[in-house]
Amino acid sequence: MIKNRTFLLLAANVLLAVFIILNLDDEPSSIGNIDGILSEIIANMNEIAIRQPVRGQEIILKKNQMDWFLTQPVSWPVEPITLANLISKISHLEPTFICSVDELPSKGEIEQDYGFDTNSSSLQLSAGSKTLSFTLGDLTRDQRSRFLMIENSEGEGIWRAPRQIEDLLNRTTVDWTTLTFWKIPLYAVEALKVVEFKPDEENIETAFTKLTDSWEFSSPINGPANNAEVSLLLHKIVSEKLIGFSEITDDQKLSKLFDISLQAMGKTHSLTLYQSPQGDVTELLALFSGKTQAFRVQASYAEIFQNLSTKLREKRLFNLEIDQVKRLRMVEGNRSLTLRKNEMNSWVGLEDNGTDSFTFQADHSVIVELIHNLNMVEVKDFILFSPDQSALHMHGFEHPQLKLEIEQMNTTRQNLLISKSNIESSLWNTYIAEQALICLVNTQWNKLISTRAINFKNRELLPDQFIPNRVIINSITEKENLHVFSYEMDGEAYDRIMEFKADSFIELSYNDEGVWVEGDWLPWKYSVEFQNNAENGVNSILFNLTDRYGATKWFAGSPELGLVCNLPISVIDELSKGLSSKPLKP
């Protein structure tokens, strides 16, 4: 009898437990447990709808193959980072279930007690036919959480969730969009054209194209552009961000400001900037060609397209390489000097004064320095593009003070006319013929270029094949040897003496008695004789020297070469040491 009672009690307890489990597992599995449906929907999600009744709008995001786009209230790509942020926050929301909506009447409550009404914002996630909705309610008493109504196919439940859900449901349309509107990588841009619209004036077109690694203007005139400035401009263009969206109606009369066209990867992308139809001076209206969705940008965006031909033009007048230069010709009045590279790759000069001409071997290092200095010349101001004859005459180019012609190995030519500016004494008006451009240059052209052979003649004074064994300093007045240099006795000092060449030329003529320098007559006082003991060839070469002139000047004259020059400071110092080793007689 006792065993029967025990069995019946055990059976009753088992049935009761099963009944409780079935009843407890019913609602939580369908309404109070959203983990499974949430994971499934996020994995296959293809649409997101955000309803904001207070703002009177609905934001809809749809997936098109791999990319997401806003389809309402505007048509625009979705910002991937913002979308990833939504998925992350929803996945880690971890809300706490309170009860199902069906249980509210038994608790004497209604949905409005939790803040749910027709003005509540909501978020709906869709994956095909399956949906999961989140409706935002009031703050909880501790102000740390929000009530949520979460609805799936099984029903609606009341939950408590962290306040991070607020941000997701209150974001504006712009918050969901990709703010940059040029979908072009900088490296792919091949050309840019900008048309600036001027009321009652001719429109201004500026265009340039990428040629290998450099940019060249094709409008308003041909010429090189500054590569760094172009790169900076392109970065500013494609990195600009929109600030909102607008609609353009057919009856709106919009005032064009700029047409901007970027060519990349074989396609042309064109954007037009308009003045704000509302008269707002802080923003502009923008619309891509072939699109219907207009958007707004800051008014400052237009500033980067103003005066492009001036801002982007290469300020350096030259980009020369010594190996590529074939000929330079400098003209001043009726005098000219031409430097030409011969077949042996050495430089030959020709000085012509209109009556006589003089051919000479030019110094390679001096021409290298000239090329370097030309490459340093920069434009201070661009004055005029495509000037007519009257403009050329007004700026002094009818009779220019200087002319410079440069011819390169690839037959490219540059022709410059140069005249002193009337605006400021340190400035020079410069006309670049190939670019049809007048500009102001701060470089002292009269010191940079010269028509005198003396400035370009080869500085070497000793023949290449001549190798002396010793160098003797003699006193012309005392007719005695003062010092003898040799490698065996002087080592490195002798090597420095062998750098005997012209630092600069004083005269390309010679006087047996001496030389005039800066108004002073300097007679020859010493001689320097370079001796070679070789049986064949030249045995000695003689130069006369003045007395040392200041700290850095000592003049040497050659009756054979017919010239007078100043010596390098290293040679001057060694000659001085040689003289000081044997004092002269009083």
Side-chain angles (χ1 to χ4, degrees), residues 83 120 281 292 303 387 488 562 576 583-584:
L83 182 64
S120 297
V281 297
T292 57
E303 295 175 6
E488 291 77 10
S576 295
L584 294 176

Side-chain angles (χ1 to χ4, degrees), residues 14-123:
V14 170
L15 290 173
L16 179 62
V18 171
F19 177 82
I20 293 172
I21 290 171
L22 290 174
N23 279 275
L24 287 176
D25 196 47
D26 184 42
E27 283 197 344
S29 64
S30 58
I31 299 177
N33 185 355
I34 62 169
D35 292 343
I37 184 66
L38 179 60
S39 299
E40 182 182 353
I41 285 181
I42 287 178
N44 301 287
M45 188 164 56
N46 57 14
E47 183 176 322
I48 300 170
I50 303 166
R51 297 174 180 86
Q52 300 170 333
V54 174
R55 292 178 180 161
Q57 74 172 8
E58 181 178 23
I59 302 172
I60 298 179
L61 292 66
K62 289 188 177 182
K63 188 176 183 181
N64 182 4
Q65 295 180 345
M66 297 301 295
D67 299 317
W68 283 82
F69 292 87
L70 272 85
T71 60
Q72 190 175 322
V74 298
S75 177
W76 202 261
V78 171
E79 173 55 51
I81 295 176
T82 305
L83 182 64
N85 178 259
L86 176 142
I87 294 173
S88 175
K89 286 186 175 181
I90 289 293
S91 299
H92 298 87
L93 190 60
E94 297 183 355
T96 301
F97 181 70
I98 298 175
C99 67
S100 70
V101 172
D102 292 339
E103 291 180 299
L104 291 180
S106 64
K107 298 172 64 175
E109 296 176 337
I110 59 174
E111 296 177 9
Q112 286 79 359
D113 293 337
Y114 293 88
F116 302 115
D117 56 29
T118 55
N119 289 323
S120 297
S121 297
S122 64
L123 167 69

Side-chain angles (χ1 to χ4, degrees), residues 162-348:
R163 294 188 60 176
Q164 66 188 38
I165 191 70
E166 297 173 358
D167 173 62
L168 299 179
L169 274 68
N170 290 325
R171 288 177 180 174
T172 65
T173 302
V174 173
D175 293 333
W176 291 102
T177 59
T178 301
L179 298 181
T180 53
F181 41 89
W182 290 97
K183 307 305 175 187
I184 303 172
L186 277 178
Y187 69 85
V189 179
E190 303 159 353
L192 170 65
K193 183 174 75 172
V194 176
V195 179
E196 183 176 0
F197 296 92
K198 294 281 191 177
D200 304 322
E201 295 181 34
E202 187 176 352
N203 297 335
I204 300 173
E205 180 179 305
T206 305
F208 44 91
T209 306
K210 190 174 185 179
L211 304 176
T212 312
D213 295 324
S214 63
W215 288 89
E216 293 282 333
F217 277 97
S218 57
S219 180
I221 59 175
N222 296 330
N226 185 297
N227 292 331
E229 291 294 335
V230 173
S231 296
L232 180 61
L233 170 71
L234 293 176
H235 175 73
K236 288 180 178 179
I237 291 175
V238 302
S239 62
E240 183 71 14
K241 296 180 179 179
L242 61 85
I243 58 175
F245 294 92
S246 291
E247 297 295 330
I248 296 179
T249 59
D250 295 336
D251 59 346
Q252 276 184 308
K253 293 182 179 180
L254 299 175
S255 179
K256 275 188 179 184
L257 296 177
F258 292 94
D259 273 343
I260 304 112
S261 297
L262 287 179
Q263 186 175 320
M265 296 179 286
K267 295 182 179 180
T268 300
H269 309 262
S270 299
L271 178 73
T272 301
L273 296 181
Y274 301 91
Q275 286 183 347
S276 171
Q278 287 77 34
D280 189 341
V281 297
T282 65
E283 59 183 43
L284 304 173
L285 199 62
L287 180 65
F288 276 104
S289 177
K291 303 293 184 180
T292 57
Q293 183 61 64
F295 54 95
R296 305 193 309 278
V297 294
Q298 296 283 359
S300 58
Y301 188 50
E303 295 175 6
I304 67 176
F305 301 106
Q306 296 171 349
N307 303 316
L308 285 184
S309 59
T310 298
K311 290 191 292 189
L312 299 183
R313 187 159 295 280
E314 175 59 71
K315 291 186 184 279
R316 292 189 308 163
L317 290 186
F318 306 99
N319 184 22
L320 305 172
E321 296 180 15
I322 184 66
D323 293 338
Q324 299 302 316
V325 177
K326 180 179 180 181
R327 182 179 68 91
L328 299 117
R329 183 169 183 264
M330 294 158 278
V331 180
E332 182 177 11
N334 63 346
R335 297 179 61 89
S336 69
L337 185 135
T338 302
L339 301 168
R340 185 186 298 275
K341 189 183 295 181
N342 62 19
E343 295 178 355
M344 303 299 293
N345 209 35
S346 56
W347 289 85
V348 178

Side-chain angles (χ1 to χ4, degrees), residues 355-417:
T355 303
D356 300 314
S357 61
F358 169 59
T359 302
F360 59 94
Q361 190 72 28
D363 191 281
H364 182 268
S365 63
V366 174
I367 297 175
V368 168
E369 183 180 2
L370 172 63
I371 297 296
H372 171 75
N373 291 334
L374 287 173
N375 284 336
M376 298 297 288
V377 177
E378 289 192 352
V379 174
K380 180 177 177 61
D381 284 312
F382 293 98
I383 303 301
L384 187 62
F385 298 102
S386 302
D388 55 21
Q389 286 300 317
S390 62
L392 293 174
H393 175 74
M394 182 178 68
H395 287 87
F397 297 124
E398 189 172 9
H399 301 289
Q401 292 170 259
L402 299 167
K403 295 180 182 179
L404 174 62
E405 301 172 14
I406 301 173
E407 181 182 354
Q408 302 205 52
M409 302 298 289
N410 62 2
T411 71
T412 301
R413 294 173 181 267
Q414 288 177 276
N415 291 273
L416 279 71
L417 305 180

Side-chain angles (χ1 to χ4, degrees), residues 126-161:
S126 300
S129 60
K130 295 185 178 181
T131 62
L132 188 63
S133 299
F134 302 81
T135 303
L136 192 63
D138 286 341
L139 287 168
T140 58
R141 288 184 180 180
D142 59 10
Q143 304 288 305
R144 296 179 181 177
S145 305
R146 294 296 293 253
F147 291 116
L148 276 184
M149 182 187 294
I150 302 178
E151 179 183 359
N152 59 27
S153 58
E154 301 297 329
E156 300 171 307
I158 307 296
W159 300 69
R160 183 173 61 249

